[in-house]
Short mmCIF file of all heavy atoms in Angstrom, two decimals:
data_model
loop_
_atom_site.label_atom_id
_atom_site.label_comp_id
_atom_site.label_asym_id
_atom_site.label_seq_id
_atom_site.Cartn_x
_atom_site.Cartn_y
_atom_site.Cartn_z
N ASP A 177 138.67 129.85 26.02
CA ASP A 177 138.07 128.48 25.94
C ASP A 177 139.26 127.41 25.86
O ASP A 177 138.90 126.27 26.04
CB ASP A 177 137.24 128.36 24.67
CG ASP A 177 137.93 128.93 23.47
OD1 ASP A 177 138.99 129.55 23.59
OD2 ASP A 177 137.34 128.73 22.29
N GLN A 178 140.43 127.85 25.85
CA GLN A 178 141.51 126.81 25.90
C GLN A 178 142.02 126.50 27.33
O GLN A 178 142.67 125.57 27.59
CB GLN A 178 142.78 127.26 25.21
CG GLN A 178 142.53 127.51 23.68
CD GLN A 178 143.72 128.16 22.97
OE1 GLN A 178 144.82 127.86 23.39
NE2 GLN A 178 143.45 129.04 22.11
N PHE A 179 141.56 127.35 28.29
CA PHE A 179 142.16 127.23 29.65
C PHE A 179 141.63 126.00 30.40
O PHE A 179 142.38 125.33 31.09
CB PHE A 179 141.89 128.51 30.42
CG PHE A 179 142.51 129.71 29.89
CD1 PHE A 179 141.95 130.95 30.14
CD2 PHE A 179 143.60 129.63 29.07
CE1 PHE A 179 142.47 132.12 29.58
CE2 PHE A 179 144.19 130.75 28.51
CZ PHE A 179 143.60 131.96 28.76
N ALA A 180 140.34 125.71 30.32
CA ALA A 180 139.80 124.72 31.20
C ALA A 180 140.46 123.37 31.09
O ALA A 180 140.72 122.79 32.16
CB ALA A 180 138.27 124.55 30.89
N ASP A 181 140.80 122.90 29.92
CA ASP A 181 141.45 121.59 29.74
C ASP A 181 142.92 121.69 29.57
O ASP A 181 143.57 120.70 29.22
CB ASP A 181 140.86 120.92 28.50
CG ASP A 181 139.34 120.61 28.77
OD1 ASP A 181 139.03 120.09 29.79
OD2 ASP A 181 138.52 121.02 27.94
N ALA A 182 143.50 122.89 29.75
CA ALA A 182 145.04 123.09 29.55
C ALA A 182 145.73 122.24 30.58
O ALA A 182 145.32 122.09 31.71
CB ALA A 182 145.31 124.51 29.62
N THR A 183 146.95 121.87 30.16
CA THR A 183 147.95 121.11 31.12
C THR A 183 148.52 122.31 31.93
O THR A 183 148.46 123.51 31.64
CB THR A 183 148.97 120.42 30.38
OG1 THR A 183 149.73 121.36 29.67
CG2 THR A 183 148.38 119.36 29.45
N LYS A 184 149.30 121.93 32.93
CA LYS A 184 150.01 122.86 33.81
C LYS A 184 151.00 123.74 32.96
O LYS A 184 151.02 124.93 33.03
CB LYS A 184 150.76 122.14 34.81
CG LYS A 184 151.77 122.92 35.64
CD LYS A 184 152.37 121.99 36.77
CE LYS A 184 153.84 122.37 36.96
NZ LYS A 184 154.42 121.43 37.89
N GLU A 185 151.71 123.00 32.07
CA GLU A 185 152.70 123.73 31.18
C GLU A 185 152.04 124.72 30.26
O GLU A 185 152.50 125.88 30.06
CB GLU A 185 153.57 122.72 30.39
CG GLU A 185 154.56 121.97 31.16
CD GLU A 185 153.93 120.93 32.12
OE1 GLU A 185 152.77 120.53 31.84
OE2 GLU A 185 154.50 120.54 33.16
N GLU A 186 150.85 124.32 29.69
CA GLU A 186 150.12 125.17 28.77
C GLU A 186 149.65 126.44 29.52
O GLU A 186 149.64 127.48 28.99
CB GLU A 186 149.03 124.45 28.13
CG GLU A 186 149.42 123.46 27.11
CD GLU A 186 148.32 122.49 26.59
OE1 GLU A 186 147.33 122.39 27.29
OE2 GLU A 186 148.52 121.79 25.66
N LEU A 187 149.16 126.13 30.75
CA LEU A 187 148.57 127.25 31.50
C LEU A 187 149.63 128.29 31.80
O LEU A 187 149.44 129.54 31.73
CB LEU A 187 148.01 126.65 32.78
CG LEU A 187 146.74 127.29 33.32
CD1 LEU A 187 145.62 127.28 32.29
CD2 LEU A 187 146.33 126.47 34.54
N ILE A 188 150.81 127.84 32.19
CA ILE A 188 151.97 128.77 32.43
C ILE A 188 152.22 129.59 31.19
O ILE A 188 152.48 130.80 31.21
CB ILE A 188 153.20 127.94 32.92
CG1 ILE A 188 152.86 127.28 34.28
CG2 ILE A 188 154.50 128.94 33.13
CD1 ILE A 188 153.96 126.31 34.74
N LYS A 189 152.35 128.86 30.01
CA LYS A 189 152.62 129.53 28.77
C LYS A 189 151.61 130.65 28.55
O LYS A 189 152.00 131.68 28.13
CB LYS A 189 152.53 128.47 27.64
CG LYS A 189 153.81 128.43 26.75
CD LYS A 189 153.58 127.54 25.68
CE LYS A 189 154.34 126.23 25.88
NZ LYS A 189 154.32 125.40 24.56
N HIS A 190 150.35 130.29 28.69
CA HIS A 190 149.27 131.34 28.46
C HIS A 190 149.51 132.49 29.44
O HIS A 190 149.33 133.70 28.99
CB HIS A 190 147.84 130.68 28.65
CG HIS A 190 147.40 129.87 27.56
ND1 HIS A 190 147.29 130.47 26.33
CD2 HIS A 190 146.98 128.62 27.44
CE1 HIS A 190 146.77 129.45 25.51
NE2 HIS A 190 146.58 128.34 26.21
N ALA A 191 149.75 132.22 30.67
CA ALA A 191 149.87 133.28 31.64
C ALA A 191 151.06 134.22 31.27
O ALA A 191 150.96 135.37 31.30
CB ALA A 191 150.13 132.70 33.05
N LEU A 192 152.22 133.56 30.83
CA LEU A 192 153.33 134.41 30.43
C LEU A 192 153.00 135.16 29.17
O LEU A 192 153.49 136.31 29.06
CB LEU A 192 154.55 133.48 30.31
CG LEU A 192 155.08 132.89 31.62
CD1 LEU A 192 156.17 131.90 31.26
CD2 LEU A 192 155.58 134.02 32.51
N SER A 193 152.32 134.51 28.20
CA SER A 193 152.01 135.34 27.01
C SER A 193 151.07 136.45 27.22
O SER A 193 151.28 137.53 26.68
CB SER A 193 151.26 134.28 26.04
OG SER A 193 152.06 133.23 25.78
N ALA A 194 150.15 136.32 28.15
CA ALA A 194 149.23 137.40 28.56
C ALA A 194 150.02 138.52 29.24
O ALA A 194 149.85 139.62 28.91
CB ALA A 194 148.20 136.91 29.47
N LEU A 195 150.99 138.11 30.08
CA LEU A 195 151.80 139.06 30.79
C LEU A 195 152.68 139.85 29.66
O LEU A 195 152.81 141.02 29.74
CB LEU A 195 152.76 138.22 31.70
CG LEU A 195 153.45 138.99 32.84
CD1 LEU A 195 152.29 139.58 33.82
CD2 LEU A 195 154.35 138.04 33.56
N LYS A 196 153.25 139.13 28.82
CA LYS A 196 154.06 139.76 27.72
C LYS A 196 153.27 140.79 26.90
O LYS A 196 153.83 141.76 26.58
CB LYS A 196 154.59 138.56 26.84
CG LYS A 196 155.66 139.12 25.88
CD LYS A 196 156.17 138.00 25.02
CE LYS A 196 157.05 138.51 24.07
NZ LYS A 196 157.74 138.36 23.12
N ASP A 197 152.05 140.44 26.60
CA ASP A 197 151.19 141.31 25.79
C ASP A 197 151.02 142.66 26.43
O ASP A 197 150.72 143.68 25.72
CB ASP A 197 149.81 140.64 25.47
CG ASP A 197 149.85 139.81 24.38
OD1 ASP A 197 151.01 139.46 23.89
OD2 ASP A 197 148.81 139.44 23.83
N SER A 198 151.10 142.68 27.80
CA SER A 198 150.85 143.94 28.45
C SER A 198 152.12 144.77 28.70
O SER A 198 152.01 145.83 29.37
CB SER A 198 150.11 143.72 29.78
OG SER A 198 151.01 143.07 30.66
N LEU A 199 153.20 144.26 28.27
CA LEU A 199 154.53 145.02 28.50
C LEU A 199 154.58 146.23 27.49
O LEU A 199 154.12 146.16 26.36
CB LEU A 199 155.67 144.12 28.27
CG LEU A 199 155.83 142.96 29.23
CD1 LEU A 199 157.18 142.26 28.93
CD2 LEU A 199 155.80 143.35 30.63
N SER A 200 155.31 147.19 27.94
CA SER A 200 155.47 148.29 27.03
C SER A 200 156.63 147.91 26.08
O SER A 200 157.39 147.00 26.34
CB SER A 200 155.79 149.58 27.83
OG SER A 200 156.91 149.37 28.69
N GLN A 201 156.82 148.71 24.98
CA GLN A 201 157.70 148.35 23.92
C GLN A 201 159.10 148.05 24.37
O GLN A 201 159.64 147.04 23.87
CB GLN A 201 157.76 149.49 22.94
CG GLN A 201 156.39 149.72 22.21
CD GLN A 201 156.32 149.07 20.86
OE1 GLN A 201 157.08 149.39 19.97
NE2 GLN A 201 155.49 148.03 20.79
N ASP A 202 159.58 148.84 25.39
CA ASP A 202 160.92 148.74 25.67
C ASP A 202 161.30 147.60 26.75
O ASP A 202 162.34 147.51 27.25
CB ASP A 202 161.48 150.06 26.14
CG ASP A 202 160.62 150.57 27.26
OD1 ASP A 202 159.44 150.20 27.42
OD2 ASP A 202 161.18 151.33 28.22
N LYS A 203 160.21 146.84 27.04
CA LYS A 203 160.38 145.86 28.17
C LYS A 203 160.24 144.44 27.59
O LYS A 203 159.58 144.25 26.60
CB LYS A 203 159.37 146.11 29.24
CG LYS A 203 159.86 147.10 30.38
CD LYS A 203 159.15 146.88 31.57
CE LYS A 203 159.43 147.96 32.62
NZ LYS A 203 158.24 148.28 33.45
N GLU A 204 160.95 143.56 28.37
CA GLU A 204 160.69 142.11 28.06
C GLU A 204 160.79 141.32 29.31
O GLU A 204 161.28 141.77 30.28
CB GLU A 204 161.64 141.59 27.05
CG GLU A 204 163.07 141.74 27.41
CD GLU A 204 164.10 141.01 26.42
OE1 GLU A 204 163.61 140.66 25.32
OE2 GLU A 204 165.23 140.77 26.74
N LEU A 205 160.29 140.09 29.15
CA LEU A 205 160.24 139.21 30.36
C LEU A 205 161.55 138.60 30.47
O LEU A 205 162.17 138.09 29.62
CB LEU A 205 159.16 138.15 30.28
CG LEU A 205 157.73 138.70 30.31
CD1 LEU A 205 156.74 137.55 30.07
CD2 LEU A 205 157.44 139.35 31.60
N THR A 206 162.15 138.71 31.74
CA THR A 206 163.49 138.01 31.94
C THR A 206 163.35 137.22 33.23
O THR A 206 162.31 137.31 33.98
CB THR A 206 164.60 139.14 32.22
OG1 THR A 206 164.30 139.77 33.43
CG2 THR A 206 164.56 140.16 31.02
N VAL A 207 164.49 136.45 33.57
CA VAL A 207 164.46 135.73 34.73
C VAL A 207 164.46 136.65 35.99
O VAL A 207 164.03 136.19 37.02
CB VAL A 207 165.58 134.77 34.86
CG1 VAL A 207 165.47 133.68 33.80
CG2 VAL A 207 166.89 135.49 34.71
N ASP A 208 164.87 137.87 35.78
CA ASP A 208 164.98 138.67 36.98
C ASP A 208 163.52 139.38 37.25
O ASP A 208 163.19 139.68 38.39
CB ASP A 208 165.91 139.87 36.70
CG ASP A 208 167.31 139.29 36.52
OD1 ASP A 208 167.70 138.47 37.39
OD2 ASP A 208 168.07 139.81 35.66
N ASN A 209 162.79 139.63 36.23
CA ASN A 209 161.57 140.41 36.51
C ASN A 209 160.32 139.59 36.42
O ASN A 209 159.17 140.06 36.40
CB ASN A 209 161.43 141.60 35.53
CG ASN A 209 161.28 141.24 34.10
OD1 ASN A 209 160.96 140.06 33.78
ND2 ASN A 209 161.37 142.16 33.20
N THR A 210 160.41 138.26 36.32
CA THR A 210 159.20 137.30 36.25
C THR A 210 159.13 136.48 37.43
O THR A 210 160.04 135.79 37.80
CB THR A 210 159.27 136.52 34.91
OG1 THR A 210 159.68 137.36 33.89
CG2 THR A 210 158.02 135.88 34.60
N SER A 211 157.92 136.40 37.92
CA SER A 211 157.44 135.52 39.07
C SER A 211 156.31 134.56 38.53
O SER A 211 155.45 135.15 37.94
CB SER A 211 157.03 136.28 40.28
OG SER A 211 158.13 136.72 40.90
N VAL A 212 156.40 133.42 38.89
CA VAL A 212 155.33 132.40 38.58
C VAL A 212 154.94 131.66 39.80
O VAL A 212 155.83 131.06 40.43
CB VAL A 212 155.69 131.53 37.35
CG1 VAL A 212 154.55 130.58 37.02
CG2 VAL A 212 156.03 132.34 36.13
N GLY A 213 153.65 131.54 40.10
CA GLY A 213 153.20 130.77 41.21
C GLY A 213 152.34 129.62 40.54
O GLY A 213 151.40 129.96 39.83
N VAL A 214 152.55 128.37 40.95
CA VAL A 214 151.78 127.33 40.38
C VAL A 214 151.27 126.35 41.53
O VAL A 214 151.97 126.09 42.44
CB VAL A 214 152.65 126.44 39.42
CG1 VAL A 214 151.70 125.46 38.69
CG2 VAL A 214 153.24 127.37 38.38
N VAL A 215 150.05 125.94 41.45
CA VAL A 215 149.55 124.89 42.36
C VAL A 215 148.52 124.03 41.63
O VAL A 215 147.82 124.54 40.71
CB VAL A 215 148.93 125.58 43.64
CG1 VAL A 215 147.77 126.47 43.20
CG2 VAL A 215 148.48 124.56 44.65
N GLY A 216 148.40 122.77 42.09
CA GLY A 216 147.36 121.89 41.43
C GLY A 216 147.91 120.52 41.09
O GLY A 216 149.10 120.29 41.25
N GLY A 217 147.05 119.69 40.77
CA GLY A 217 147.43 118.29 40.31
C GLY A 217 148.14 117.51 41.52
O GLY A 217 149.00 116.70 41.24
N GLY A 218 147.75 117.85 42.73
CA GLY A 218 148.29 117.26 43.86
C GLY A 218 149.53 117.86 44.42
O GLY A 218 149.97 117.52 45.47
N ASP A 219 150.10 118.84 43.66
CA ASP A 219 151.29 119.50 44.11
C ASP A 219 150.95 120.78 44.98
O ASP A 219 149.86 121.34 44.78
CB ASP A 219 152.20 119.94 43.01
CG ASP A 219 152.77 118.76 42.28
OD1 ASP A 219 152.88 117.62 42.97
OD2 ASP A 219 153.03 118.82 41.00
N LEU A 220 151.83 121.06 45.90
CA LEU A 220 151.55 122.33 46.74
C LEU A 220 151.89 123.61 45.97
O LEU A 220 152.59 123.47 44.92
CB LEU A 220 152.40 122.21 48.00
CG LEU A 220 152.30 120.94 48.90
CD1 LEU A 220 153.20 120.96 50.10
CD2 LEU A 220 150.82 120.78 49.25
N PHE A 221 151.52 124.67 46.50
CA PHE A 221 151.80 125.92 45.84
C PHE A 221 153.22 126.16 45.77
O PHE A 221 153.98 126.10 46.78
CB PHE A 221 151.12 127.10 46.62
CG PHE A 221 151.25 128.43 45.92
CD1 PHE A 221 150.33 128.88 45.05
CD2 PHE A 221 152.33 129.31 46.21
CE1 PHE A 221 150.43 130.06 44.37
CE2 PHE A 221 152.45 130.49 45.57
CZ PHE A 221 151.50 130.94 44.60
N LYS A 222 153.80 126.49 44.55
CA LYS A 222 155.23 126.66 44.42
C LYS A 222 155.47 127.97 43.67
O LYS A 222 154.89 128.28 42.65
CB LYS A 222 155.93 125.55 43.70
CG LYS A 222 157.46 125.68 43.51
CD LYS A 222 158.14 124.48 43.37
CE LYS A 222 159.59 124.66 42.91
NZ LYS A 222 160.33 125.68 43.68
N LEU A 223 156.41 128.75 44.26
CA LEU A 223 156.78 130.07 43.69
C LEU A 223 158.04 129.87 42.88
O LEU A 223 159.02 129.35 43.34
CB LEU A 223 156.90 131.14 44.77
CG LEU A 223 157.46 132.50 44.39
CD1 LEU A 223 156.49 133.13 43.41
CD2 LEU A 223 157.62 133.37 45.53
N TYR A 224 158.06 130.25 41.58
CA TYR A 224 159.24 130.13 40.68
C TYR A 224 159.71 131.55 40.41
O TYR A 224 159.08 132.47 40.05
CB TYR A 224 158.84 129.52 39.45
CG TYR A 224 158.39 128.06 39.54
CD1 TYR A 224 157.09 127.71 39.74
CD2 TYR A 224 159.28 126.93 39.40
CE1 TYR A 224 156.63 126.40 39.82
CE2 TYR A 224 158.84 125.65 39.55
CZ TYR A 224 157.53 125.41 39.71
OH TYR A 224 157.11 124.08 39.83
N GLU A 225 161.07 131.64 40.86
CA GLU A 225 161.65 132.94 40.52
C GLU A 225 163.15 132.71 40.04
O GLU A 225 163.66 131.61 40.23
CB GLU A 225 161.68 133.86 41.80
CG GLU A 225 160.26 134.36 42.13
CD GLU A 225 160.26 135.40 43.27
OE1 GLU A 225 160.79 135.04 44.31
OE2 GLU A 225 159.77 136.49 43.05
N GLY A 226 163.72 133.74 39.42
CA GLY A 226 165.10 133.65 39.06
C GLY A 226 165.18 132.59 37.95
O GLY A 226 164.44 132.43 37.08
N GLN A 227 166.35 131.80 38.02
CA GLN A 227 166.61 130.79 37.13
C GLN A 227 165.55 129.76 36.90
O GLN A 227 165.45 129.11 35.87
CB GLN A 227 168.00 130.08 37.38
CG GLN A 227 169.23 130.95 37.22
CD GLN A 227 169.28 131.56 35.72
OE1 GLN A 227 168.87 130.91 34.76
NE2 GLN A 227 169.72 132.76 35.60
N GLU A 228 164.75 129.62 37.94
CA GLU A 228 163.74 128.59 37.88
C GLU A 228 162.66 128.90 36.80
O GLU A 228 161.99 128.00 36.24
CB GLU A 228 163.01 128.41 39.18
CG GLU A 228 163.83 127.62 40.18
CD GLU A 228 163.09 127.48 41.45
OE1 GLU A 228 162.55 128.48 41.96
OE2 GLU A 228 162.90 126.36 41.95
#
Side-chain angles (χ1 to χ4, degrees):
Chain A
D177 46 354
Q178 296 174 38
F179 299 154
D181 297 308
T183 64
K184 171 176 142 187
E185 287 71 22
E186 287 166 345
L187 217 54
I188 294 171
K189 232 186 253 188
H190 280 304
L192 290 174
S193 302
L195 202 61
K196 188 179 175 191
D197 274 13
S198 70
L199 296 186
S200 54
Q201 296 266 292
D202 56 331
K203 272 204 185 139
E204 60 173 11
L205 293 178
T206 68
V207 292
D208 294 318
N209 68 11
T210 312
S211 283
V212 178
V214 187
V215 60
D219 294 334
L220 304 181
F221 186 89
K222 179 155 170 49
L223 175 60
Y224 296 87
E225 285 186 309
Q227 286 305 325
E228 284 181 308

